[in-house]
Amino acid sequence: MGAHQHGSVELPGGPTDAEGRAVNEQLLGALVGAALKGSECVAEHLDEVAADLACLVRLVSFSRLTALRVYRGELPGFMTDDDDGFGPSAPELKRLVRAVTAGEPLFELCEQMTPAERRAAAGDALDLLIGHLTVAHSEGLDDTETLAQLCCAIGLVLVGWSLQAAPMVDRELTETWQKYQFGQREAGLKGTGADAVTLLLGAVLHHQARKDEVSTETIKGLVFTRALPVLKDLERTEEILRVFVAPPDADATTAPIKRLARRDRAFITDLCSYARHILTLHSRNCPYGLRDTGHECSVEHRLAAVSGGSQTPVSTPSPSTPGEGRRVALPRIGYSEDRPTESAPKSQPDDHMWQINVDRILLTRWDADVARWNENISEDSSISGTPPYDNETGLEAFACPACTSRENFLAEGRWGDPLTLHCSCGVTIMSPFDADPNDLGRRVLKRLILCEADPAYGARRLMPSLAELQERERSRRSSRSYLGPDADTVELAEAIDLEQGDLAQALTTVLRPRLPERHGGNALTLLLLKITYVLSAPAVRDSDDGTRLATAARAFLADLKEESDRWAPSRQLLLDRLRSWQGATGPEAWQAAWARMLDLAAPWFKDYRVRDGRLRDGCAALALAQYLLAREADTGVDQISKDQVLALLPSPATDGAAEPAVEAPHLWAARLEALGHDLDADDDPVAGMWRHLCTPVRVHPYSEQFVPALTAGLDAVIGPRSVYDIRF
């Protein structure tokens, strides 16, 4: 055969296609080799390829890929447009090429074609492939990035920066992607939600570039915010995505994403929503548009800056205004600033232009990385005990986005203006001119102005926060579910030496501030950090307002210390409390009952605290019950069963008139007295425990009904609704 008279050409792709179908590589190689040599067996091989659908799909795909290499990432019209009469492409080939581009299943389309149509498509695909291979061999290929590649790269940079700058968008996008990924398995989705948004952005940016006649050489002039109107037109966006010739190296994700976008309208709607949000977020933070609401953000303004990471980007100086230096947007994601507690200073007119030298600017910031860490911990089933969560909110000194310096700024602006901050590195940090009155930058500038006019304002502004924290603490204590101060509060209250004359120094010793670096903590820790910082300045510490702040803080901390001491017994380890009650006195059976109870409780209540005392009372009641039953039966406590103990609890009333749980201590009392115990005796540990277990407690924190500690505790430890499977 002719196949043996000429060389064979190896085509890329492997012995199978993406769906695992076998591809006859020898046949395809022989066909291309024969065509390159002009052999007479081309027609015979073409017939065989047209009859083998997997081979036909591979031939069309490779012919299309070669055209992309020759035409710099674009498909010529004669391969896709039915109205374009230039070139050899038959309608059958154009249909298949369009199908590949749209991510349609090419094998199924070939099955629907007649043998003659498949033969025509194969012939034209081969002719174009040989022609393009000849061009590539004689003229070479341009290996620089194509326009489609550049647009997708821009989309990737925009998505990556935005997902770091706005963590909630990252989380929502991931959840949305998982919804489609698990709900549309037949689409064969691969990659992540970021890949899908990147593909969509690449498509619309490529469309915008061609519309504005932007080339690879002039890509920096592309105004990507002009794509926003396109993303609002769902039908138009669908068509742009369908015909977009994505870079071939993204084929694994491109095809399934396009298939699902075509099949599920909600999917493309969500992608457009995320893409619009990303472009809007970037345009709002463009340094050139900070004081220009009509600014159109271009690639030149953003690409080099955002590609470096999640920090707010630095723009290069504008050639028309070289004296202005570089400008950056004030980082706002995660940062917060309290509303100023006073109006503009009366010492200066409202339109006074303030210029303030600032050592440091402390800001509160929610940390997305810590939040992700905590979320991962919460989902890690291998972690036992108390999870090592970190505080998501912290206090830190503002850092210049350009040089990361945290010191020596010059703040500038009038009362109510957006913030203008000059760093010693020559960069100007600015907040948007059109931001709302409660914008971070406006609030920070007001705080700096008030502190410049009167340093004692730094102390006065913390008084409302301290009062709010005190009120919150009083509210917690009035709750029925209150079980004492939390662990962090206890640790602070017990560690701070209130006898020390300098409160700032006492707080510094305990808090060990990490400032200017981030110092995480709860609300109390962060407030004490702010108090430490302001009282460290002599002008604030020696003022009347500074004295009042220090006095109020001392009083609050002293109250917390007293409350901590009052609740100290509830923080004792449960097993330690039980062992202290066990003692070394009482009848032998009493000691045996406590020993067995501790053996039963230890595996379940290791590291448990006393807390509200319910489990403590339940374990004590279990020991008392085993003692009572063992004495009555004249047997060892190890012979007492769980059912026997539960039988000591009275059955619930059926008419609602009686309170059977209240009667339990009286029933136990009669049986203990029958054993010879004087329940009023102070030197009888059995009687003392019985009296303690008669104490009334609430059925649950929000109930108005009281029951004896004996029944509430025993029900919590071994009752039918108990979560502890104690067996004996």
Side-chain angles (χ1 to χ4, degrees), residues 574 578 594 597 601 605 614-624 626 713-714 717 726:
L574 174 60
L578 293 174
W594 272 91
M597 179 275 294
F605 302 127
R614 194 170 299 256
L615 296 178
R616 171 204 62 193
D617 296 339
C619 290
L622 178 58
L624 182 61
Q626 291 182 99
L714 202 56
V717 173
I726 299 178

Side-chain angles (χ1 to χ4, degrees), residues 173-473:
L173 178 57
T174 300
E175 292 175 352
T176 300
W177 177 256
Q178 290 175 344
K179 174 180 68 176
Y180 292 110
Q181 188 178 35
F182 294 121
Q184 301 282 348
R185 289 187 182 275
E186 67 276 13
L189 286 179
K190 299 179 181 179
T192 66
D195 295 325
V197 180
T198 296
L199 177 64
L200 181 67
L201 279 173
V204 294
L205 292 176
H206 181 265
H207 169 79
Q208 191 64 43
R210 298 190 66 178
K211 179 181 177 182
D212 293 346
E213 298 183 351
V214 175
S215 65
T216 55
E217 291 75 20
T218 60
I219 191 67
K220 290 185 177 181
L222 175 64
V223 178
F224 56 72
T225 47
R226 290 183 188 170
L228 284 170
V230 176
L231 291 168
K232 295 178 181 178
D233 187 338
L234 195 59
E235 292 184 358
R236 189 179 178 192
T237 304
E238 285 179 314
E239 176 63 17
I240 291 173
L241 180 61
R242 186 180 66 83
V243 302
F244 174 55
V245 182
D249 55 4
D251 281 346
T253 57
T254 298
I257 290 171
K258 286 191 174 185
R259 288 194 198 109
L260 184 54
R262 184 172 61 254
R263 182 182 304 148
D264 193 333
R265 192 68 174 267
F267 179 65
I268 188 69
T269 300
D270 283 338
L271 289 186
C272 288
S273 175
Y274 286 117
R276 289 198 305 270
H277 178 81
I278 288 170
L279 293 183
T280 302
L281 179 65
H282 279 276
S283 62
R284 287 177 179 172
N285 284 276
C286 177
Y288 285 86
L290 290 172
R291 303 296 165 83
D292 180 8
T293 56
H295 173 74
E296 291 185 318
C297 188
S298 72
V299 175
E300 180 180 15
H301 295 168
R302 300 293 290 169
L303 183 57
V306 297
S307 61
S310 61
Q311 293 289 342
T312 299
V314 181
S315 71
T316 54
S318 171
S320 60
T321 56
E324 291 184 5
R326 296 180 298 166
R327 293 188 295 175
V328 302
L330 176 71
R332 303 192 303 277
I333 304 298
Y335 290 97
S336 63
E337 170 72 15
D338 294 335
R339 188 189 302 272
T341 59
E342 299 178 10
S343 56
K346 301 300 182 183
S347 58
Q348 297 290 348
D350 291 343
D351 62 348
H352 176 70
M353 177 60 72
W354 293 84
Q355 291 186 326
I356 306 166
N357 288 305
V358 186
D359 178 24
R360 289 180 185 171
I361 302 175
L362 292 189
L363 294 174
T364 303
R365 183 172 71 88
W366 175 78
D367 195 306
D369 292 333
V370 175
R372 278 192 287 266
W373 164 261
N374 289 341
E375 185 174 1
N376 292 336
I377 289 177
S378 68
E379 297 174 353
D380 190 344
S381 59
S382 66
I383 298 177
S384 59
T386 304
Y389 293 120
D390 198 358
N391 290 292
E392 297 180 7
T393 304
L395 195 66
E396 63 186 46
F398 172 78
C400 172
C403 69
T404 70
S405 171
R406 298 178 183 270
E407 298 178 343
N408 301 325
F409 298 101
L410 174 64
E412 187 176 46
R414 301 177 180 85
W415 180 266
D417 277 357
L419 177 66
T420 299
L421 203 62
H422 302 282
C423 179
S424 57
C425 72
V427 167
T428 300
I429 304 107
M430 309 174 77
S431 57
F433 183 77
D434 60 343
D436 65 70
N438 291 321
D439 175 67
L440 173 71
R442 296 183 194 273
R443 285 188 173 185
V444 169
L445 181 58
K446 288 180 178 180
R447 189 229 301 180
L448 297 178
I449 290 174
L450 289 168
C451 288
E452 177 71 6
D454 180 6
Y457 171 75
R460 292 196 301 273
R461 81 182 190 94
L462 296 180
M463 290 297 292
S465 299
L466 180 59
E468 180 183 351
L469 208 58
Q470 289 175 306
E471 179 58 34
R472 196 183 307 167
E473 181 65 21

Side-chain angles (χ1 to χ4, degrees), residues 67-76 146-148 206 210 245:
L68 288 176
R69 296 287 305 277
V70 172
Y71 291 100
R72 301 280 293 117
E74 306 287 345
L75 284 175
T146 64
L147 184 60
H206 181 265
R210 298 190 66 178
V245 182

